[in-house]
């Protein structure tokens, strides 16, 4: 099988999946990169020192890449708004699998725009009966595309798949915590890591720490990241008297962030609806953290079974975030169980190898004209139509 993945640029969140596809297609896979990566992402460590051998750059070899996209067996198209790259292929009626985050990250009310609806029709709705399918990189993607009447019965769960690491889970969990010796004198260790921008809501991490301190609990929290809100975070730390409990570590390289995750008991993921997916959720769960995440984060309803491998909290309900964090700080056994189950979710289901295998099966069935038989859960399973309030209601009860 000859397959091409067309996207703006390859990064560390995509390379494990692309490596797996390259193996499954026996070298028949190409990643077509359409743009050079922005400098700020390179500084964040997103750039690979060496491009994998399967990467071709459209801006360097436009004609060769154009022919590849037009002629290969299957194209996966995502990560760029420029339809020109697949216009010829769509016109020919050859199969295309799109990958997309939300259409309406800042609010579904934007769907009323006549100009926006015309573009959605041109790009998506008119192919509702064609061989065009959708990988939904986030739990609310189907809801957005349902509004524009696109891809009926052709939407599948998807996401991002950073490197999956395999540990002796008992040893990993036993070593978690802050300070002290292994199993003795360790404090519950909380971690937050992201850019310090408004929709990531770093202030919620500091306010959670304030809540825990006011409850008289002993804990340690590390906050990783830099950005426009860093000065405000430093002010909150002083105002709340948290200099003994909370460290502001600034920017850390991706590999260093993973090492902090391996030590942390609890990971706080406080973004709002603008977080289309959030690969940090995969990484924290893979590291055996008990994840507490806002219900509007794209990855959260797909990865978290509330009360089994983590907690959801309803977006905007900070008291629910505080209460569930307090629950895990007080109940170390529950926290450990969540961490173990979270690790199993990533290593057993939501990982690059499984995603590539399931997508390869889906592509083969499409090309051979067979009935599609998607898995029951995980990558490439049927994407349910989840309304924005639905997983919020799931977050109301924790099942424990």
């Amino acid at each position: 099988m000859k397959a091409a993945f067309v996207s703006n640029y390859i990064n560390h969140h995509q390379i494990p999946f692309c490596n797996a596809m390259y193996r499954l297609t026996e070298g028949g896979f190409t990643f077509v990169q359409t743009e050079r990566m922005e400098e700020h992402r390179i500084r964040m460590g997103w750039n690979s020192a060496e491009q994998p051998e399967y990467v071709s750059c459209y801006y360097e070899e436009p004609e060769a890449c154009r022919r590849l996209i037009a002629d290969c067996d299957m194209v996966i198209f995502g990560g760029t708004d420029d339809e020109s790259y697949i216009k010829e292929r769509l016109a020919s009626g050859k199969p295309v699998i799109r990958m997309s985050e939300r259409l309406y990250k800042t609010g579904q009310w934007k769907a009323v725009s006549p100009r926006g609806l015309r573009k959605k029709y041109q790009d998506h709705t008119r192919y509702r009966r064609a061989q065009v399918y959708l990988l939904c990189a986030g739990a609310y993607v189907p809801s957005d595309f349902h509004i524009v009447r696109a891809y009926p019965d052709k939407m599948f769960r998807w996401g991002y798949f950073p490197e999956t690491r395999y540990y002796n889970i008992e040893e990993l969990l036993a070593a978690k915590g802050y300070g002290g010796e292994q199993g003795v004198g360790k404090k519950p260790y909380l971690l937050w890591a992201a850019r310090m921008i408004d929709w990531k809501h770093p202030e919620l991490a500091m306010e959670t720490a304030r809540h825990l301190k006011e409850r008289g609990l002993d804990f340690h929290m590390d906050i990783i990241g830099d950005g426009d809100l860093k000065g405000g975070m430093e002010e909150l730390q002083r105002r709340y008297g948290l200099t003994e409990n909370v460290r502001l570590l600034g920017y850390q390289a991706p590999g260093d962030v993973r090492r902090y995750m391996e030590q942390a008991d609890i990971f706080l993921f406080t973004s709002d609806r603008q977080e289309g997916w959030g690969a940090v959720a995969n990484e924290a769960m893979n590291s055996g953290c008990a994840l507490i995440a806002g219900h509007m984060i794209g990855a959260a309803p797909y990865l978290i079974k509330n009360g089994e491998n983590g907690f959801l909290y309803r977006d905007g309900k900070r008291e629910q975030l505080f209460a569930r964090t307090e629950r895990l700080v007080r109940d170390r056994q529950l926290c450990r169980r969540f961490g173990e189950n979270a690790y199993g979710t990533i290593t057993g289901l939501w990982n690059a190898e499984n995603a590539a295998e399931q997508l390869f099966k889906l592509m083969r069935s499409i090309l051979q004209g067979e009935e599609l038989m998607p898995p029951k859960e995980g990558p490439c399973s049927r994407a349910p139509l989840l309304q924005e309030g639905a997983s919020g209601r799931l977050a109301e009860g924790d099942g424990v």
Side-chain angles (χ1 to χ4, degrees), residues 361-362 364-366 368-374 382:
K361 291 177 184 177
L362 177 65
R364 187 173 57 195
S365 294
I366 291 170
Q368 294 177 356
E370 300 172 347
E371 180 183 359
L372 303 184
M373 301 290 289
R382 296 281 185 186

Side-chain angles (χ1 to χ4, degrees), residues 299-362:
Y302 280 180
L303 298 185
I304 297 177
K305 293 183 177 180
N306 195 43
E308 295 182 25
N309 63 355
F311 275 142
L312 295 171
Y313 70 90
R314 195 177 182 95
D315 184 52
K317 287 199 171 184
R318 59 185 60 198
E319 293 299 329
Q320 194 177 63
L321 165 64
F322 302 160
R324 294 194 168 173
T325 307
E326 180 182 343
R327 174 77 183 277
L328 291 181
V329 169
R330 291 185 182 277
D331 191 340
R332 302 296 292 277
Q333 287 302 114
L334 179 63
C335 185
R336 180 189 173 99
R337 177 159 61 86
F338 279 10
E340 184 174 5
N341 291 344
Y343 175 78
T345 297
I346 301 302
T347 57
L349 191 63
W350 281 96
N351 58 73
E353 290 289 340
N354 185 49
E357 289 175 10
Q358 298 302 332
L359 183 59
F360 186 81
K361 291 177 184 177
L362 177 65

Side-chain angles (χ1 to χ4, degrees), residues 96-316:
V96 172
I97 297 178
R98 288 181 177 269
M99 184 187 79
S100 180
E101 293 185 11
R102 299 199 64 170
L103 293 176
Y104 305 115
K105 285 186 179 180
T106 57
Q108 289 184 333
W109 59 269
K110 290 192 172 184
V112 302
S113 163
R115 182 179 179 182
L117 287 174
R118 282 195 298 272
K119 178 166 174 52
K120 300 302 182 294
Y121 176 82
Q122 290 295 321
D123 294 350
H124 303 287
T125 311
R126 63 175 171 158
Y127 299 109
R128 58 186 282 117
R129 301 191 186 283
Q131 285 196 96
V132 186
Y133 305 82
L134 184 66
L135 299 177
C136 301
Y140 302 101
V141 175
S143 177
D144 285 0
F145 279 93
H146 180 72
I147 291 172
V148 298
R149 299 169 58 83
Y151 311 112
D153 301 317
K154 296 188 294 181
M155 293 189 278
F156 303 90
R157 287 187 180 99
W158 197 247
Y160 291 92
F161 305 96
E163 176 194 4
T164 299
R165 298 182 181 179
Y166 295 88
Y167 305 92
N168 179 315
I169 186 60
E170 293 297 325
E171 292 179 0
L172 178 68
L173 294 174
K176 284 181 174 291
Y178 185 82
E181 299 295 328
Q182 183 165 317
V184 180
K186 281 182 171 283
K187 300 178 182 180
Y189 179 17
L190 295 86
L191 183 64
W192 184 97
R195 288 177 291 155
M196 290 190 178
I197 55 178
D198 57 356
W199 55 269
K200 299 279 189 179
H201 295 288
E203 77 283 355
L204 289 178
M206 200 69 77
E207 290 170 8
T208 300
R210 179 192 187 186
H211 171 89
L212 297 176
K213 184 177 180 181
E214 289 176 346
R215 291 294 193 275
L217 295 170
D218 194 16
F219 69 96
H220 177 82
M221 180 185 292
D222 280 338
I223 296 178
I224 295 174
D226 208 342
D228 296 341
L229 301 183
K230 187 176 181 182
M233 291 290 287
E234 293 169 342
E235 171 58 28
L236 287 178
Q237 184 189 34
R238 288 190 296 270
R239 187 192 312 167
Y240 296 161
L242 292 169
T243 54
E244 295 297 317
N245 300 93
V246 178
R247 291 189 304 185
L248 291 165
L249 298 178
Y251 168 77
Q252 301 288 321
D256 293 330
V257 175
R258 287 295 291 262
R259 282 189 282 276
Y260 283 106
M261 289 176 174
E262 290 165 357
Q263 299 168 35
D265 298 294
I266 300 166
F267 190 90
L268 303 179
F269 194 8
T270 58
S271 297
D272 62 29
R273 62 178 297 131
Q274 295 185 68
E275 189 75 71
W277 177 257
V280 70
N282 306 58
E283 294 170 329
M285 293 174 73
N286 181 209
S287 301
C289 296
L291 181 65
I292 304 177
H295 89 279
M296 288 298 294
I297 294 167
Y302 280 180
L303 298 185
I304 297 177
K305 293 183 177 180
N306 195 43
E308 295 182 25
N309 63 355
F311 275 142
L312 295 171
Y313 70 90
R314 195 177 182 95
D315 184 52

Side-chain angles (χ1 to χ4, degrees), residues 38-56:
E38 305 101 314
E39 283 299 321
H40 76 275
R41 294 198 184 275
I42 293 174
R43 290 194 297 271
M44 289 168 59
W46 279 41
N47 198 31
S48 177
E50 293 185 10
Q51 291 279 39
E53 60 183 308
Y54 49 74
V55 174
S56 294

